[in-house]
Amino acid sequence: MLSPEAHARILSIDGSAALEVPGVRAVLTADDLGVVGGSGRKAEPLARTEVVFAGQPVALVVADSEAAAEDGAELVFVEYEPLPAVVDLEQAILPGAALARIERSADEADVAMHGEAGAGEDDEGTERVSANVIDIVAYAEGDPEQTFAECAAVVEGRFRTSWIHQSYLEPQAAVAWPEGDGGVAVRSSTQATFWTRSDLARVYGLPIPKVRVEAATLGGGFGGKFGVIEPLVVGAALALSRPVRLVFTRSEDFVSASPGPGLVIDLKVGARADGTLAALEGRVLADSGAFSDSSPVGFAGGKLGGAYSFEAWSVRTYGVRTNRPGAGAYRAPLATPTAFAIESLVDELARRLDVDPIELRLRNVPAAGDLRVDGIAWQATGLRETLEAVREHPLWQRRDDLPENEGIGLASGLFPGGRMGASAVCRLDSDGGVTVVSGYVDMSGTDTGVAAIAAEIVGVPLDSVRVVSGDTSEAPQAGVSGGSMVTYCLGSAVALAAADAREQILRYAAQQLEVDQADLEIVDGSVRVVGAPQRELSVAAIGSRLTGFGTSYPPVQGHGTAVPPDLAPSAAAALVRIRVDRDTGRVELLDWVAAQDCGRALNPALVEGQMHGGAVQSIGYALYEELVYDEDGQPLNGSFLTYAIPRIDAVPEIQTLIVEVPAPYGPLGAKGIGESAIVPGAAAISNAIRSATGARLHELPMTPDRVWRSLRSPAP
Ligand code: MOS
């Protein structure tokens, strides 16, 4: 049962009436769950003495049927003492603001971990801020004031972006059951098997071997499925020594999961007369929601510079605790809203300087080694190639030849992606099939890319490769299915495992065919002598022999373990044509061209699918999606009836331009492409509105009322 209050003390919880309902087995509160460690939301699956957002789980009613559990939950009586809800970021940071959390708790330890425990003043001790500010991150380089003074054009703006739900089609779900000798297993909708295992072990004080996590194949998670539901279900299974299942309803998922947070961005950018981006100054208020483990500051500030580098900059990001759910990741975390700000201003600079917007962006493609605003060095990216691909497109060529109220907009987007070590096994089965085993989660079709890597490297047909995702007790270590890491990082391990398997196959075939191994090739599932293809041995025959009785050779099993030595950022560009209805403010999308650098398209259909999906989600970010909370912190639109995602009639035909600039360390040159696809879309739509009407939008989503108002105060 979920808290109806956004912020309140819990005075009492009475589950006695619920326990009278036939079929109800237990009413569990925080005290029953036996949490012993961890921090943040995972260590507080049920509220303890204080609820900190409307929708926070307060008690679990466990019953033999869903109906009985629902009836029971109606009869759990909780007495609350309401406290002021903190929802406005600007108010929340002021000294003396009401606090979003009173209780000093496991969450506090986490704040201390970030080195901001006092949070009474900033890191230089010069600025008074509220204790709601749980994190401050600052980046600076050079002398921005001096550099702004040297600029030929300086533009600035305040941009606001909304809380947004990942809106995966499958709500979060998990089933947990006790397992031998005090252990527990959980099968869930997680994006992260091994992380979830570590979290659960920490939270419930269990040794790692006592926790087993199995993942279900996911259609999507988009960053929202990182351990919200598992601590609840596992806690209940341990407390009751029974299997327990929990499936969020859609509205439960809306109000109590971990959506992407809203930002308030003040950004100022200056360029030299030739279009060189020179100076940047920014302040970001990033809504952390109620938990500090999800503080989004690290993601926000570092992305303010977009896909570019500058000569001098100063960026301050404030993580602000409010009475909303804990902020989670959402596909390319915070790159879409920060791209909305920087790409809007870059568009304005192109206008001020009268430089072609693609030309201006091309002049500012970072060279490898240039610094991002977070001080990390850029790697080479395919940014230039994606912009060049878009420049050739007929839609760009005829951008000045449009009817009234139509506009064309362009934006770049980039996501650096992550790096995690991963391992895989690649074995040859008795039927000649190749099985890849790893402990990762198959999400949004990633298995097909993994299979393509193994098939190409071993030299067997794609349909003879199977990918098996095992659980954390039996499968090789894997990273999370997130951060654009599956193809790039796990794929690297799979490539090594496949090469190892190939080597073993060739070694055996060389002995059997009595030729030098170097004279062999594997073509279409058969090992052949180069130049004498009639001398061959099928991979299927090898699989059969080496798994049979009496073989003198060991079975083929390749192993790969890897972590790429550097990131492989994927660049994207969106080019859109829109029409604005001046009477209503409604924006209609007419054309969409998406260009993206994927390094190497292992499965072109899947790459296009990611580009389509990213474009559509960026349309949601741009025009529709916003989790609305009232001044008391009450969610007002926690269902698909009232939370608008783009419907098919809002989506234009999306043309995809796949760009392939190989990643030096990627498997077969491939990069992770899941995230950058969403990044440029909202900015491109905003730039198109500017081009159609002269109005510069500063708030996402750009709903008809906002566009209509903006039309009455066009940009200077
Ligand atoms: Mo992601 S936003 O790392 O699933």
Side-chain angles (χ1 to χ4, degrees):
M1 68 145 304
L2 308 179
S3 171
E5 301 282 344
H7 193 196
R9 269 196 195 86
I10 299 174
L11 300 179
S12 65
I13 303 176
D14 180 0
S16 55
L19 285 168
E20 300 298 314
V21 174
V24 168
R25 296 281 178 163
V27 177
L28 303 174
T29 65
D31 288 341
D32 303 313
L33 286 192
V35 169
V36 300
S39 63
R41 170 107 191 234
K42 295 180 182 86
E44 204 177 339
L46 292 172
R48 287 179 294 243
T49 58
E50 181 182 1
V51 291
V52 286
F53 68 96
Q56 183 177 12
V58 173
L60 276 174
V61 177
V62 183
D64 293 336
S65 69
E66 282 181 28
E70 273 169 28
D71 289 350
E74 297 278 310
L75 295 172
V76 175
F77 297 106
V78 184
E79 207 184 336
Y80 297 101
E81 177 194 326
L83 295 165
V86 176
V87 289
D88 182 276
L89 289 178
E90 297 284 350
Q91 297 288 324
I93 63 170
L94 299 176
L99 293 181
R101 182 187 275 270
I102 311 288
E103 175 192 335
R104 289 310 174 202
S105 62
D107 207 51
E108 177 75 357
D110 199 63
V111 177
M113 232 168 58
H114 287 92
E116 297 287 343
E121 29 187 56
D122 78 349
D123 47 350
E124 286 148 15
T126 54
E127 183 188 8
R128 299 296 305 171
V129 290
S130 156
N132 290 322
V133 176
I134 56 171
D135 221 345
I136 300 177
V137 174
Y139 304 114
E141 174 75 30
D143 183 347
E145 286 321 306
Q146 175 61 35
T147 314
F148 275 120
E150 294 163 16
C151 284
V154 175
V155 293
E156 60 190 312
R158 167 169 290 195
F159 298 87
R160 293 169 189 278
T161 72
S162 59
W163 276 77
I164 187 163
H165 193 276
Q166 296 89 351
S167 298
Y168 28 74
L169 287 183
E170 324 102 309
Q172 308 209 18
V175 54
W177 59 94
E179 224 169 41
D181 209 16
V184 67
V186 60
R187 177 172 169 79
S188 76
S189 56
T190 182
Q191 291 178 241
T193 43
F194 288 89
W195 272 9
T196 301
R197 180 178 67 165
S198 310
D199 285 334
L200 291 169
R202 198 176 302 123
V203 166
Y204 290 110
L206 295 168
I208 285 287
K210 293 269 185 242
V211 183
R212 192 160 66 83
V213 179
E214 274 178 32
T217 293
L218 288 180
F222 308 111
K225 292 176 176 170
F226 281 104
V228 167
I229 197 168
E230 292 83 358
L232 278 170
V233 183
V234 164
L238 287 169
L240 301 174
S241 294
R242 300 174 60 93
V244 175
R245 181 178 71 110
L246 176 61
V247 180
F248 278 170
T249 63
R250 179 60 66 179
S251 49
E252 285 165 350
D253 206 307
F254 261 111
V255 299
S256 60
S258 57
L263 307 178
V264 178
I265 301 169
D266 288 302
L267 187 61
K268 178 169 142 185
V269 184
R272 297 187 185 279
D274 67 353
T276 307
L277 295 173
L280 177 144
E281 194 172 79
R283 184 195 74 156
V284 185
L285 303 182
D287 198 333
S288 299
F291 293 91
S292 61
D293 56 340
S294 51
S295 172
V297 290
F299 283 125
K303 303 229 168 65
L304 265 195
Y308 313 107
S309 55
F310 293 79
E311 296 166 27
W313 62 85
S314 161
V315 170
R316 293 178 75 71
T317 307
Y318 299 75
V320 186
R321 174 140 53 203
T322 64
N323 294 115
R324 290 190 181 86
Y330 176 44
R331 194 172 190 169
L334 302 186
T336 307
T338 47
F340 171 59
I342 181 75
E343 289 291 318
S344 293
L345 292 184
V346 166
D347 194 69
E348 289 299 327
L349 283 174
R351 290 170 186 279
R352 296 279 176 92
L353 296 170
D354 200 21
V355 178
D356 174 274
I358 289 190
E359 189 50 42
L360 187 140
R361 287 175 172 83
L362 285 172
R363 278 182 210 170
N364 288 286
V365 169
D370 285 355
L371 295 185
R372 312 184 334 202
V373 300
D374 56 7
I376 294 173
W378 281 111
Q379 298 82 35
T381 72
L383 186 60
R384 174 175 304 283
E385 291 79 358
T386 55
L387 286 165
E388 285 167 350
V390 163
R391 184 166 57 184
E392 299 308 313
H393 196 277
L395 189 59
W396 182 252
Q397 298 295 335
R398 64 180 173 91
R399 65 192 177 283
D400 296 324
D401 178 26
L402 292 174
E404 209 184 336
N405 297 326
E406 284 192 15
I408 280 189
L410 165 93
S412 283
L414 192 129
F415 198 72
R419 273 198 314 146
M420 277 183 88
S423 311
V425 158
C426 180
R427 73 169 192 241
L428 180 61
D429 291 321
S430 58
D431 63 348
V434 167
T435 299
V436 176
V437 187
S438 179
Y440 98 111
V441 184
D442 174 27
M443 187 170 79
S444 65
T446 44
D447 269 5
T448 63
V450 167
I453 292 168
E456 179 161 334
I457 290 179
V458 176
V460 293
L462 184 59
D463 61 7
S464 70
V465 179
R466 302 173 270 254
V467 181
V468 174
S469 302
D471 69 54
T472 53
S473 66
E474 67 192 19
Q477 174 74 32
V480 308
S481 293
S484 299
M485 289 189 286
V486 172
T487 299
Y488 187 56
C489 299
L490 176 66
S492 294
V494 170
L496 290 174
D500 186 9
R502 177 188 172 87
E503 166 71 19
Q504 294 171 36
I505 291 168
L506 289 176
R507 204 183 310 142
Y508 174 74
Q511 304 224 16
Q512 296 299 302
L513 297 170
E514 297 179 327
V515 294
D516 195 279
Q517 195 176 316
D519 295 330
L520 291 175
E521 59 183 356
I522 306 181
V523 180
D524 290 340
S526 203
V527 187
R528 293 181 191 164
V529 179
V530 177
Q534 70 286 1
R535 291 184 62 198
E536 65 171 343
L537 185 57
S538 76
V539 172
I542 297 174
S544 169
R545 285 192 213 165
L546 299 190
T547 54
F549 187 74
T551 169
S552 319
Y553 295 87
V556 170
Q557 176 154 306
H559 292 256
T561 188
V563 62
D566 207 344
L567 299 172
S570 167
L575 174 64
V576 307
R577 182 169 67 97
I578 57 120
R579 184 187 301 127
V580 179
D581 182 330
R582 285 184 173 268
D583 294 329
T584 63
R586 186 172 166 270
V587 174
E588 187 186 355
L589 287 164
L590 303 173
D591 280 307
W592 193 292
V593 178
Q596 188 172 340
D597 170 30
C598 63
R600 153 103 194 264
L602 295 170
N603 176 352
L606 191 68
V607 171
E608 288 196 344
Q610 289 292 318
M611 292 168 74
H612 286 162
V616 172
Q617 286 184 317
S618 75
I619 293 170
Y621 235 127
L623 299 179
Y624 298 98
E625 296 187 43
E626 175 170 27
L627 284 167
V628 182
Y629 297 85
D630 71 10
E631 65 271 21
D632 298 319
Q634 289 295 325
L636 299 183
N637 60 343
S639 89
F640 277 134
L641 285 175
T642 48
Y643 179 92
I645 58 172
R647 298 184 312 192
I648 193 61
D649 60 2
V651 179
E653 188 185 331
I654 295 164
Q655 300 176 57
T656 52
L657 306 175
I658 295 179
V659 174
E660 295 183 301
V661 180
Y665 308 111
L668 305 170
K671 299 174 179 176
I673 49 119
E675 291 179 296
S676 60
I678 193 177
V679 179
I685 291 173
S686 183
N687 291 343
I689 295 171
R690 170 74 166 94
S691 143
T693 66
R696 172 56 69 190
L697 273 288
H698 288 91
E699 187 162 7
L700 295 181
M702 297 175 282
T703 47
D705 56 319
R706 288 176 181 154
V707 174
W708 188 87
R709 259 183 235 121
S710 234
L711 288 173
R712 267 118 204 106
S713 55

